[in-house]
Amino acid sequence: MRTTAFSPSNHWNPSFRNSQITTQRPRPKTNVNPFLFDPQNPLNPRQARPPFPSFSINPSINPPTPISQNPSFDPPPLVVVGSANADIYVEIERLPKEGETISAASGQTLAGGKGANQAACGGKLRYPTYFLGQVGEDAHGKLVSQALEDSGVKLDYLNIVSGIPTGHAVVMLQSDGQNSIIIVGGTNMCSWPEVLPDEDLELVKNAGIVLLQREIPDFVNHQVAKAARSAGVPVILDAGGMDTPIPHELLSSVDIFSPNETELARLSGMPTENFEQICKAVAKFHKMGIKQVLLKLGDKGSALFIEGEEPIKQPIIKAKKVLDTTGAGDTFTAAFSVAHVEGRSKAECLRFAAAAASLCVQVKGAIPSMPVRESVSDLLQSL
């Protein structure tokens, strides 16, 4: 990890770009291959990585061996660039009305943030995963770092920022499993370097796939997406996070855009009450140059819209009991990405992601609910 120090006068200025950053601990040199990954010892990047298991939608069919299962080939990693939060959960029967104070049944603090969630999912699915983000020198930062480390995520590119609190969120979890979230940006939004270091961009260029979200500044996402595009690395942008319009230069560098139904309606300015309306809203993004839209539809499943082709629909894989939907979308997107980089068909990617999301909603918390690969494979084989 890298530690940086900042002038106190800049602690709370989100527009500060970091001309005063000093590096106290250098990151791994780029002449050492950082992509040799050992899931049993995720903090040692130099050890050779044993092959990862894969999955089959139909266990009676022998699919082609994915790259992650080929012992002669070390797969390019999943690189997640994004937010890391401490999620402060409060369990309530209902949301409070204006001016009303209500009591919570319980409360706890868990690691989260869309970026950290997606990285943890990749790590738990036993695909080599790096997280590039920022946390503070506080208890919340340690909480998030430990959760990622425990999930098998490599943290060589995690930046520890002095003087700014780790991002955090208040998650109001209702009795029916639905949630409402309020986010405090903290280190996710403050003091990113104006120009990302070469070693960060080198990691991106050597990735198998890159995942972005909108809980960090757009200018960071744009640099990452542009670097990935220059190296032919596919980029998935999750629309979750800021509700401001997405800059055209960012969208033009993205391969797959992934909103949920609410985000699609807001960003397109069009209704999404039924599938016909959804198709028209998606078409607006196709006209903007987005070739693929991966849409999360909650309890109605998901769909992948590829320009010029028929949509690929995936119904939900019903959970035995829904305890908490927090992190389900992040699990879906990350699991889709893992399946995609392993060379699976689009339909298989959707089904694998649906299975992972089904397991996620059965456990409380975001990162704690991310399923391991064996559980996903077992669920698919039981269907």
Side-chain angles (χ1 to χ4, degrees), residues 156-289:
D156 302 72
Y157 298 82
L158 176 64
N159 194 32
I160 299 176
V161 180
S162 176
I164 300 177
T166 300
H168 48 285
V170 178
V171 182
M172 294 172 283
L173 182 63
Q174 299 177 66
S175 57
D176 60 0
Q178 298 302 310
N179 64 75
S180 299
I181 303 173
I182 302 171
I183 296 173
V184 179
T187 51
N188 294 319
M189 295 302 296
C190 294
S191 301
W192 284 85
E194 184 175 357
V195 178
L196 294 180
D198 289 342
E199 57 264 37
D200 289 2
L201 299 180
E202 193 66 23
L203 174 73
V204 169
K205 291 176 182 178
N206 283 278
I209 194 166
V210 171
L211 267 177
L212 303 174
Q213 322 81 35
R214 299 199 70 216
E215 290 182 345
I216 61 173
D218 284 329
F219 82 90
V220 176
N221 279 333
H222 181 223
Q223 287 185 64
V224 172
K226 186 176 178 181
R229 173 62 63 90
S230 73
V233 176
V235 176
I236 297 180
L237 173 63
D238 189 309
M242 293 182 287
D243 59 2
T244 55
I246 302 175
H248 176 73
E249 60 269 21
L250 174 56
L251 279 176
S252 65
S253 298
V254 168
D255 297 278
I256 301 176
F257 179 56
S258 184
N260 61 29
E261 192 173 358
T262 301
E263 292 158 350
L264 177 67
R266 185 184 75 240
L267 292 168
S268 68
M270 301 174 68
T272 56
E273 300 286 332
N274 53 55
F275 198 74
E276 181 181 357
Q277 291 178 341
I278 286 171
C279 289
K280 290 180 179 178
V282 167
K284 186 171 182 177
F285 284 94
H286 287 328
K287 292 178 182 178
M288 296 168 63

Side-chain angles (χ1 to χ4, degrees), residues 299-315:
D299 59 7
K300 291 179 284 188
S302 59
L304 178 63
F305 298 81
I306 302 174
E307 188 175 21
E309 301 181 16
E310 286 295 315
I312 306 172
K313 298 180 182 180
Q314 171 61 52

Side-chain angles (χ1 to χ4, degrees), residues 34 36-47 123 129-130 148-156:
L36 292 177
F37 185 91
D38 177 8
Q40 301 304 319
N41 185 12
L43 297 183
N44 184 351
R46 300 188 185 184
Q47 293 186 5
T129 301
Y130 283 78
L148 288 170
E149 186 177 313
D150 291 345
S151 299
V153 178
K154 293 212 30 92
L155 301 180
D156 302 72

